[in-house]
Amino acid sequence: MHILDGKALSDKIKENIKRETKELKEKGIVPGLAVILVGDNPASHTYVRMKEKACEMTGIYSIVHKMPLDISEEKILETIRMMNNNPNIDGILVQLPLPSQIDTQKILDSIDPRKDVDGFHPFNVGRLVLGLDCFVPCTPLGVMRLLKEYNIDVKGMDACVVGASNIVGKPMMNLLLNSFATVDICHIYTKNLKSHTKRADILIVGVGKPNLITKDMVKEGAIVIDIGINRLENGKLVGDVDFENVAPLTSYITPVPGGVGPMTIAMLLENTLKAAKGRLK
Ligand code: GUN
């Protein structure tokens, strides 16, 4: 069993970004990221703080627009319009989830696709499906990068993705398919989850349920990628996989924390840098 060390790889990537950002600055370009954070969801605040810190560390300018829970849709749209038109802002990120009075899709649709560093705009979603160059959502992109670092090629593998969200599961499915894996995608209406997970050469789980994946559900020698981040009542951070009992079965597995999480942030920085390089064209 080998650990897929996302923390170590993300540190390496951040060093590269720091260097590239410095080079861009010498050409007069300071990459800029604008984050919109609505309400007081503690997890969202934690994630946004981590994103800010990573920007600061790598020399990327960042600004966080904090808005109250009862903000109107129009106010958010107005802020996005301002950021779309601001030449110093390369990336725009709306931290999800948004409160229920807001039409999330309408907000995401209003972001300039060239500044859509989360890859949530239908323009980028469509291009991902077609296998064209685009902004790819950070978490699934981070998974692919982590696999690449360990020379794991998914071509021809049976892959199983558990969780079909727009942020993680669906783009993960498309990236795996674009790399010629055979992909099963499971969700809450899947009849027999184990029958799918058990046959997977690579099992990728992003649901948000501690211990969803137990050792009887995993094939011997499988690669297991755990995207879940769950805070237990005792304060401990765990994924969706029963790590202790599953890990010995696997060929590779990601830990939580220190697996996919740090890769997500590293990919956000890379996407922001990619957007900033667009100014050179
Ligand atoms: N909420 C949970 N994950 C994400 C993410 O990757 N991006 C944004 N914007 N919101 C999220």
Side-chain angles (χ1 to χ4, degrees):
M1 184 270 291
H2 303 277
I3 294 285
L4 296 166
D5 189 343
K7 174 68 172 64
L9 176 56
S10 76
D11 286 343
K12 195 166 101 179
I13 291 170
K14 280 192 273 191
E15 282 307 315
N16 282 334
I17 290 171
K18 198 168 160 181
R19 200 193 61 245
E20 284 203 58
T21 302
K22 196 160 158 254
E23 285 165 16
L24 267 185
K25 279 182 185 168
E26 283 156 12
K27 293 176 182 156
I29 296 171
V30 180
L33 175 69
V35 177
I36 294 172
L37 174 58
V38 183
D40 44 19
N41 180 319
S44 290
H45 276 258
T46 303
Y47 293 140
V48 167
R49 258 199 313 277
M50 285 162 71
K51 290 168 185 179
E52 270 185 288
K53 223 177 94 190
C55 283
E56 197 180 321
M57 206 200 112
T58 50
I60 294 174
Y61 167 76
S62 74
I63 178 162
V64 179
H65 296 271
K66 291 201 176 89
M67 299 178 172
L69 191 64
D70 61 355
I71 191 93
S72 71
E73 204 168 85
E74 187 45 44
K75 269 278 186 299
I76 303 177
L77 290 170
E78 194 183 303
T79 305
I80 292 175
R81 271 196 295 275
M82 219 163 65
M83 295 298 127
N84 280 341
N85 293 322
N86 183 338
N88 294 318
I89 294 299
D90 299 288
I92 302 170
L93 181 155
V94 179
Q95 188 64 32
L96 302 180
L98 291 172
S100 56
Q101 80 275 15
I102 307 290
D103 180 344
T104 299
Q105 197 56 50
K106 193 170 166 188
I107 298 297
L108 297 177
D109 287 353
S110 76
I111 297 171
D112 182 337
R114 291 166 299 184
K115 298 192 177 190
D116 174 33
V117 287
D118 252 338
F120 294 166
H121 190 285
F123 176 88
N124 286 310
V125 176
R127 290 183 65 90
L128 174 61
V129 172
L130 293 170
L132 302 172
D133 178 55
C134 62
F135 286 111
V136 177
C138 305
T139 299
L141 183 60
V143 171
M144 296 309 283
R145 177 60 70 81
L146 194 54
L147 293 173
K148 190 168 171 221
E149 178 72 8
Y150 287 82
N151 296 312
I152 297 167
D153 183 358
V154 301
K155 190 188 288 175
M157 282 189 191
D158 287 326
C160 178
V161 178
V162 183
S165 68
N166 292 338
I167 294 179
V168 174
K170 288 182 198 169
M172 193 72 251
M173 170 190 83
N174 284 296
L175 287 167
L176 290 164
L177 177 57
N178 290 348
S179 296
F180 303 104
T182 302
V183 191
D184 259 6
I185 181 151
C186 302
H187 45 77
I188 45 169
Y189 296 111
T190 296
K191 274 189 290 196
N192 184 346
L193 180 59
K194 181 176 162 179
S195 71
H196 295 270
T197 59
K198 185 84 183 170
R199 52 186 299 276
D201 302 311
I202 177 165
L203 174 59
I204 304 188
V205 191
V207 172
K209 245 192 189 172
N211 294 322
L212 176 68
I213 304 298
T214 45
K215 70 175 183 188
D216 56 304
M217 300 168 79
V218 179
K219 178 166 138 179
E220 181 96 39
I223 300 160
V224 175
I225 307 289
D226 192 348
I227 300 179
I229 302 180
N230 310 290
R231 177 86 57 190
L232 299 183
E233 271 178 25
N234 64 11
K236 193 174 170 218
L237 213 57
V238 298
D240 293 346
V241 177
D242 174 9
F243 184 89
E244 196 187 352
N245 294 305
V246 168
L249 270 179
T250 64
S251 56
Y252 291 92
I253 188 165
T254 58
V256 177
V260 176
M263 291 302 297
T264 297
I265 306 247
M267 293 302 99
L268 173 65
L269 302 173
E270 278 208 348
N271 280 350
T272 304
L273 199 62
K274 174 182 165 133
K277 284 179 185 167
R279 285 200 232 171
L280 294 166
K281 291 184 190 135

